[in-house]
PDB file of all heavy atoms in Angstrom:
ATOM      1  N   GLN F 203      -7.541   5.628   8.530  1.00  0.00           N
ATOM      2  CA  GLN F 203      -7.854   6.742   9.429  1.00  0.00           C
ATOM      3  C   GLN F 203      -9.374   6.957   9.580  1.00  0.00           C
ATOM      4  O   GLN F 203      -9.829   7.472  10.594  1.00  0.00           O
ATOM      5  CB  GLN F 203      -7.163   8.034   8.978  1.00  0.00           C
ATOM      6  CG  GLN F 203      -7.849   8.765   7.839  1.00  0.00           C
ATOM      7  CD  GLN F 203      -7.195  10.118   7.565  1.00  0.00           C
ATOM      8  OE1 GLN F 203      -6.087  10.213   7.059  1.00  0.00           O
ATOM      9  NE2 GLN F 203      -7.895  11.171   7.915  1.00  0.00           N
ATOM     10  N   PHE F 204     -10.147   6.528   8.571  1.00  0.00           N
ATOM     11  CA  PHE F 204     -11.606   6.650   8.674  1.00  0.00           C
ATOM     12  C   PHE F 204     -12.224   5.436   9.356  1.00  0.00           C
ATOM     13  O   PHE F 204     -13.373   5.482   9.795  1.00  0.00           O
ATOM     14  CB  PHE F 204     -12.238   6.819   7.288  1.00  0.00           C
ATOM     15  CG  PHE F 204     -11.698   7.998   6.527  1.00  0.00           C
ATOM     16  CD1 PHE F 204     -11.091   7.828   5.290  1.00  0.00           C
ATOM     17  CD2 PHE F 204     -11.778   9.272   7.059  1.00  0.00           C
ATOM     18  CE1 PHE F 204     -10.580   8.909   4.593  1.00  0.00           C
ATOM     19  CE2 PHE F 204     -11.267  10.367   6.360  1.00  0.00           C
ATOM     20  CZ  PHE F 204     -10.664  10.177   5.128  1.00  0.00           C
ATOM     21  N   ARG F 206     -10.640   3.665  11.889  1.00  0.00           N
ATOM     22  CA  ARG F 206     -10.242   3.610  13.304  1.00  0.00           C
ATOM     23  C   ARG F 206     -11.374   4.020  14.235  1.00  0.00           C
ATOM     24  O   ARG F 206     -11.712   3.316  15.174  1.00  0.00           O
ATOM     25  CB  ARG F 206      -9.006   4.499  13.537  1.00  0.00           C
ATOM     26  CG  ARG F 206      -8.378   4.325  14.904  1.00  0.00           C
ATOM     27  CD  ARG F 206      -7.230   5.286  15.095  1.00  0.00           C
ATOM     28  NE  ARG F 206      -7.656   6.652  14.790  1.00  0.00           N
ATOM     29  CZ  ARG F 206      -6.895   7.555  14.175  1.00  0.00           C
ATOM     30  NH1 ARG F 206      -5.676   7.249  13.802  1.00  0.00           N
ATOM     31  NH2 ARG F 206      -7.354   8.774  13.926  1.00  0.00           N
ATOM     32  N   ASP F 207     -11.985   5.182  13.959  1.00  0.00           N
ATOM     33  CA  ASP F 207     -13.059   5.681  14.824  1.00  0.00           C
ATOM     34  C   ASP F 207     -14.434   5.570  14.172  1.00  0.00           C
ATOM     35  O   ASP F 207     -15.353   6.325  14.495  1.00  0.00           O
ATOM     36  CB  ASP F 207     -12.776   7.136  15.211  1.00  0.00           C
ATOM     37  CG  ASP F 207     -11.504   7.249  16.044  1.00  0.00           C
ATOM     38  OD1 ASP F 207     -11.206   6.297  16.793  1.00  0.00           O
ATOM     39  OD2 ASP F 207     -10.794   8.260  15.926  1.00  0.00           O
ATOM     40  N   LEU F 208     -14.522   4.616  13.253  1.00  0.00           N
ATOM     41  CA  LEU F 208     -15.754   4.421  12.476  1.00  0.00           C
ATOM     42  C   LEU F 208     -17.019   4.438  13.330  1.00  0.00           C
ATOM     43  O   LEU F 208     -18.026   5.015  12.949  1.00  0.00           O
ATOM     44  CB  LEU F 208     -15.650   3.072  11.736  1.00  0.00           C
ATOM     45  CG  LEU F 208     -16.820   2.597  10.899  1.00  0.00           C
ATOM     46  CD1 LEU F 208     -16.996   3.497   9.674  1.00  0.00           C
ATOM     47  CD2 LEU F 208     -16.596   1.156  10.434  1.00  0.00           C
ATOM     48  N   LEU F 209     -16.953   3.803  14.510  1.00  0.00           N
ATOM     49  CA  LEU F 209     -18.159   3.666  15.331  1.00  0.00           C
ATOM     50  C   LEU F 209     -18.227   4.678  16.463  1.00  0.00           C
ATOM     51  O   LEU F 209     -19.147   4.641  17.278  1.00  0.00           O
ATOM     52  CB  LEU F 209     -18.257   2.241  15.873  1.00  0.00           C
ATOM     53  CG  LEU F 209     -18.278   1.176  14.773  1.00  0.00           C
ATOM     54  CD1 LEU F 209     -18.205  -0.215  15.341  1.00  0.00           C
ATOM     55  CD2 LEU F 209     -19.506   1.333  13.886  1.00  0.00           C
ATOM     56  N   VAL F 210     -17.261   5.588  16.531  1.00  0.00           N
ATOM     57  CA  VAL F 210     -17.299   6.609  17.582  1.00  0.00           C
ATOM     58  C   VAL F 210     -17.405   8.021  17.023  1.00  0.00           C
ATOM     59  O   VAL F 210     -17.967   8.899  17.649  1.00  0.00           O
ATOM     60  CB  VAL F 210     -16.065   6.537  18.523  1.00  0.00           C
ATOM     61  CG1 VAL F 210     -16.399   5.749  19.766  1.00  0.00           C
ATOM     62  CG2 VAL F 210     -14.841   5.992  17.848  1.00  0.00           C
ATOM     63  N   ASN F 211     -16.848   8.220  15.855  1.00  0.00           N
ATOM     64  CA  ASN F 211     -16.856   9.552  15.260  1.00  0.00           C
ATOM     65  C   ASN F 211     -17.837   9.594  14.084  1.00  0.00           C
ATOM     66  O   ASN F 211     -17.654   8.894  13.086  1.00  0.00           O
ATOM     67  CB  ASN F 211     -15.428   9.885  14.807  1.00  0.00           C
ATOM     68  CG  ASN F 211     -15.304  11.276  14.232  1.00  0.00           C
ATOM     69  OD1 ASN F 211     -16.158  11.716  13.450  1.00  0.00           O
ATOM     70  ND2 ASN F 211     -14.254  11.967  14.607  1.00  0.00           N
ATOM     71  N   GLU F 212     -18.857  10.435  14.230  1.00  0.00           N
ATOM     72  CA  GLU F 212     -19.907  10.463  13.203  1.00  0.00           C
ATOM     73  C   GLU F 212     -19.398  10.899  11.838  1.00  0.00           C
ATOM     74  O   GLU F 212     -19.900  10.450  10.811  1.00  0.00           O
ATOM     75  CB  GLU F 212     -21.033  11.421  13.636  1.00  0.00           C
ATOM     76  CG  GLU F 212     -21.971  10.801  14.653  1.00  0.00           C
ATOM     77  CD  GLU F 212     -23.090  11.759  15.032  1.00  0.00           C
ATOM     78  OE1 GLU F 212     -23.350  12.732  14.282  1.00  0.00           O
ATOM     79  OE2 GLU F 212     -23.701  11.542  16.094  1.00  0.00           O
ATOM     80  N   ASP F 213     -18.410  11.787  11.844  1.00  0.00           N
ATOM     81  CA  ASP F 213     -17.850  12.219  10.562  1.00  0.00           C
ATOM     82  C   ASP F 213     -17.221  11.037   9.833  1.00  0.00           C
ATOM     83  O   ASP F 213     -17.405  10.864   8.625  1.00  0.00           O
ATOM     84  CB  ASP F 213     -16.781  13.305  10.771  1.00  0.00           C
ATOM     85  CG  ASP F 213     -17.405  14.632  11.186  1.00  0.00           C
ATOM     86  OD1 ASP F 213     -18.605  14.835  10.885  1.00  0.00           O
ATOM     87  OD2 ASP F 213     -16.705  15.440  11.810  1.00  0.00           O
ATOM     88  N   ASP F 214     -16.490  10.231  10.594  1.00  0.00           N
ATOM     89  CA  ASP F 214     -15.848   9.065   9.986  1.00  0.00           C
ATOM     90  C   ASP F 214     -16.895   8.072   9.471  1.00  0.00           C
ATOM     91  O   ASP F 214     -16.731   7.492   8.400  1.00  0.00           O
ATOM     92  CB  ASP F 214     -14.906   8.385  10.981  1.00  0.00           C
ATOM     93  CG  ASP F 214     -13.666   9.238  11.257  1.00  0.00           C
ATOM     94  OD1 ASP F 214     -13.378  10.140  10.441  1.00  0.00           O
ATOM     95  OD2 ASP F 214     -13.006   9.017  12.284  1.00  0.00           O
ATOM     96  N   THR F 215     -17.982   7.910  10.235  1.00  0.00           N
ATOM     97  CA  THR F 215     -19.057   7.019   9.789  1.00  0.00           C
ATOM     98  C   THR F 215     -19.608   7.518   8.457  1.00  0.00           C
ATOM     99  O   THR F 215     -19.777   6.740   7.512  1.00  0.00           O
ATOM    100  CB  THR F 215     -20.219   6.997  10.813  1.00  0.00           C
ATOM    101  OG1 THR F 215     -19.671   6.913  12.120  1.00  0.00           O
ATOM    102  CG2 THR F 215     -21.148   5.831  10.560  1.00  0.00           C
ATOM    103  N   ARG F 216     -19.842   8.837   8.395  1.00  0.00           N
ATOM    104  CA  ARG F 216     -20.414   9.398   7.170  1.00  0.00           C
ATOM    105  C   ARG F 216     -19.457   9.264   5.992  1.00  0.00           C
ATOM    106  O   ARG F 216     -19.882   8.964   4.880  1.00  0.00           O
ATOM    107  CB  ARG F 216     -20.768  10.876   7.379  1.00  0.00           C
ATOM    108  CG  ARG F 216     -22.006  11.052   8.211  1.00  0.00           C
ATOM    109  CD  ARG F 216     -22.577  12.450   8.086  1.00  0.00           C
ATOM    110  NE  ARG F 216     -23.394  12.723   9.261  1.00  0.00           N
ATOM    111  CZ  ARG F 216     -22.992  13.415  10.320  1.00  0.00           C
ATOM    112  NH1 ARG F 216     -21.784  13.943  10.347  1.00  0.00           N
ATOM    113  NH2 ARG F 216     -23.790  13.589  11.341  1.00  0.00           N
ATOM    114  N   ILE F 217     -18.185   9.513   6.251  1.00  0.00           N
ATOM    115  CA  ILE F 217     -17.192   9.415   5.162  1.00  0.00           C
ATOM    116  C   ILE F 217     -17.134   7.979   4.644  1.00  0.00           C
ATOM    117  O   ILE F 217     -17.185   7.740   3.432  1.00  0.00           O
ATOM    118  CB  ILE F 217     -15.803   9.907   5.630  1.00  0.00           C
ATOM    119  CG1 ILE F 217     -15.855  11.426   5.858  1.00  0.00           C
ATOM    120  CG2 ILE F 217     -14.722   9.566   4.596  1.00  0.00           C
ATOM    121  CD1 ILE F 217     -14.629  12.000   6.535  1.00  0.00           C
ATOM    122  N   ALA F 218     -17.068   7.030   5.564  1.00  0.00           N
ATOM    123  CA  ALA F 218     -17.017   5.618   5.142  1.00  0.00           C
ATOM    124  C   ALA F 218     -18.275   5.253   4.359  1.00  0.00           C
ATOM    125  O   ALA F 218     -18.196   4.638   3.293  1.00  0.00           O
ATOM    126  CB  ALA F 218     -16.843   4.708   6.355  1.00  0.00           C
TER     127      ALA F 218
END
Side-chain angles (χ1 to χ4, degrees):
Q203 80 173 71
F204 303 121
R206 190 184 52 218
D207 296 328
L208 178 68
L209 302 173
V210 263
N211 183 317
E212 281 181 19
D213 288 337
D214 290 341
T215 316
R216 285 196 203 99
I217 291 170

